[in-house]
Amino acid sequence: MSTPAPREHVGFPYRGVAEYVSGTLAFIHTALAAGQPVLVAVPSAKLEILRDCLGSHAARVRFTDLTVAGRNPGRILPGVLLAFADGFPGRRTAIVAEPLWPGRGLMEYPACVAHEALVNLAFTDRDTAVLCPCDAANLDPHMVSDALRTHPELLLRGERRPSPAYADPRQTALSCHPPLPAPPPHAATMRYDAVHDLAGLRAFVTGHATTAGLKPDRRDTLADIVSDLAAGTLTRTEAPGAVSVWPERDLVVCQLRDAGQFADPLPPTAPALLAAHLHCDLVRLHARPGATTIRLHMAVHD
């Protein structure tokens, strides 16, 4: 069976600003000349470089700062890329997306790799070209190697060619979700096993999130997500689940663990899991037969 691939998902391992600008501008100008809607979703510093280099053409491009919109890598695909492409039904679109940059947290890195792998599944049937710059001069070599296995094509020295390292995207994404370490000893834990426990579960999450310093609106959002995910437990298994909450540096971390399993956690099509990706700062998930663990990270200071 052939490895799934989208129409165009091109990795661009660049070295230096000059190569970055040359490669991305050529891609953008080609799309603009064809009348295609263009999205540039990159870190803020690169955003300003491209905006300046585009000059008057910048008015025809949508810009998104991924250090904000993509703080959670799992949010980029549904909340940025697909939201843009699906906003132009029947039209070919073009996207420059750089989800990984020097300084990204190591905890976020596996989610960045999973994101790039899942792009190959999400855009298989969409008429979209996606160019993904990768700072080969300043990222660790293993990160560049991962970019080679998540992109069917590469842009190298101005020429596009197949990536010899491209691997099955679903297996790559699943490999980015290893078992999670146990919650710390100071974590508060509550078990739940029936629908009537959900109100108590919300109060449990709200109380501990408030103590940890989470702002009221984010606290309520976290409680909503946890409640919805816990309700999903009750549809997947009759066994009880457990929720743990604890502070971790400038974060509130909330983990749900149950004996059920999402039918398909990749990509996150379950509404509650999708909401978690859209609203939390990081979502970590490990699923195996008979057990699912979901860990939500939410920053105390937004």
Side-chain angles (χ1 to χ4, degrees):
M1 181 181 295
S2 61
T3 301
R7 298 186 182 185
E8 291 186 55
H9 183 208
V10 183
F12 175 31
Y14 65 90
R15 293 183 177 276
V17 174
E19 185 177 13
Y20 179 83
V21 170
S22 174
T24 53
L25 286 190
F27 176 84
I28 293 168
H29 282 305
T30 297
L32 291 177
Q36 299 165 9
V38 176
L39 169 68
V40 171
V42 299
S44 54
K46 301 289 179 57
L47 200 72
E48 295 309 314
I49 290 173
L50 293 179
R51 195 195 305 270
D52 290 344
C53 290
L54 282 167
S56 61
H57 296 289
R60 300 171 56 197
V61 175
R62 184 181 301 178
F63 294 92
T64 296
D65 181 358
L66 276 194
T67 60
V68 177
R71 182 165 54 185
N72 171 10
R75 187 187 305 163
I76 298 172
L77 182 55
V80 180
L81 307 193
L82 289 176
F84 176 77
D86 291 347
F88 300 93
R91 296 182 63 185
R92 180 173 173 79
T93 55
I95 298 173
V96 176
E98 189 171 4
L100 180 64
W101 52 85
R104 260 287 202 191
L106 291 179
M107 191 176 295
E108 300 164 2
Y109 177 69
C112 291
V113 179
H115 156 78
E116 288 283 35
L118 292 174
V119 167
N120 297 304
L121 301 177
F123 282 90
T124 300
D125 298 321
R126 288 176 169 86
D127 192 8
T128 299
V130 185
L131 178 72
C132 299
C134 171
D135 191 346
N138 295 300
L139 291 171
D140 288 344
H142 80 274
M143 296 180 176
V144 180
S145 296
D146 280 337
L148 303 187
R149 70 188 180 108
T150 55
H151 293 83
E153 290 186 282
L154 302 174
L155 178 63
L156 301 172
R157 293 179 290 280
E159 295 184 1
R160 283 170 53 170
R161 60 191 68 177
S163 172
Y166 180 58
D168 180 85
R170 181 170 293 277
Q171 293 305 313
T172 298
L174 287 171
S175 72
C176 296
H177 296 278
L180 298 171
H186 62 273
T189 298
M190 175 182 173
R191 290 168 67 85
Y192 60 95
D193 59 10
V195 174
H196 65 262
D197 284 343
L198 294 183
L201 187 63
R202 285 185 59 89
F204 171 80
V205 173
T206 297
H208 286 284
T210 299
T211 300
L214 207 60
K215 294 180 180 178
D217 58 336
R218 291 172 67 74
R219 174 201 66 200
D220 293 344
T221 297
L222 179 61
D224 288 342
I225 292 170
V226 171
S227 180
D228 289 344
L229 287 170
T233 293
L234 306 176
T235 67
R236 295 193 302 275
T237 177
E238 296 181 357
V243 171
S244 300
V245 185
W246 66 93
E248 188 174 293
R249 298 185 299 276
D250 58 347
L251 299 168
V252 173
V253 183
C254 186
Q255 174 179 290
L256 297 92
R257 182 175 175 82
D258 64 44
Q261 186 175 13
F262 279 102
D264 185 10
L266 301 174
T269 52
L273 190 54
L274 178 59
H277 279 284
L278 292 176
H279 294 288
C280 294
D281 295 296
L282 182 64
V283 177
R284 303 174 71 189
L285 182 148
H286 176 67
R288 60 179 175 81
T292 294
T293 302
I294 303 171
R295 189 167 291 184
L296 313 173
H297 297 238
M298 190 167 279
V300 172
H301 304 290
D302 187 16

